[in-house]
Amino acid sequence: TFLRNEPYVTMNRFSGEPDAYALYVPPHWHETHDEILRVVKGRMEIRLGSSTREYTPEDGEIFVKRGVIHSLRTFAGEECVFYERTDPVDDEKEIFFRNILRQNPPNFLDAVVAAYHGDAYPGFPGHIMWLEKL
């Protein structure tokens, strides 16, 4: 869901149904914006740099500085709702999410194309930015 006139750009909801898929966003980083996440229901595992932990609504905003490798994962069978926004505002973020989530679950090719056209670069071991931007 894309929010208008709200501090967050997107609201992402993943079902708690037993056969629903869990979201997994592989390690990546952004060059032009910081990312701010907020879990509002359920829990989510987030990797920031070399550290991984679970976040819940009690944790408040999660700040991901541009250039930092991060990944996200929800848990199958558990409902999770989280908000996401960028600083500065990335007007292309809605297009990115519409492209990456057009199939349920998203497929690898959609993710690669959406990342290529958006501000998302793969996070490889060693985090060599010039190589990741090729």
Side-chain angles (χ1 to χ4, degrees), residues 36-83:
I36 300 95
L37 305 164
R38 182 178 181 92
V39 177
V40 294
K41 186 172 185 179
R43 63 189 178 116
M44 175 187 295
E45 182 180 89
I46 301 176
R47 173 187 166 201
L48 293 173
S50 61
S51 180
T52 302
R53 66 168 277 221
E54 287 183 15
Y55 290 86
T56 65
E58 291 76 26
D59 291 306
E61 290 190 335
I62 303 135
F63 184 78
V64 182
K65 185 167 178 52
R66 69 189 79 195
V68 172
I69 293 178
H70 58 287
S71 64
L72 314 170
R73 181 174 72 93
T74 61
F75 299 91
E78 294 183 24
E79 184 178 11
C80 180
V81 179
F82 69 96
Y83 293 159

Side-chain angles (χ1 to χ4, degrees), residues 10-32:
T10 61
M11 178 181 71
N12 302 280
R13 181 183 309 268
F14 295 89
S15 170
E17 297 297 319
D19 60 344
Y21 77 96
L23 172 72
Y24 175 68
V25 178
H28 66 285
W29 56 279
H30 307 285
E31 182 175 45
T32 63

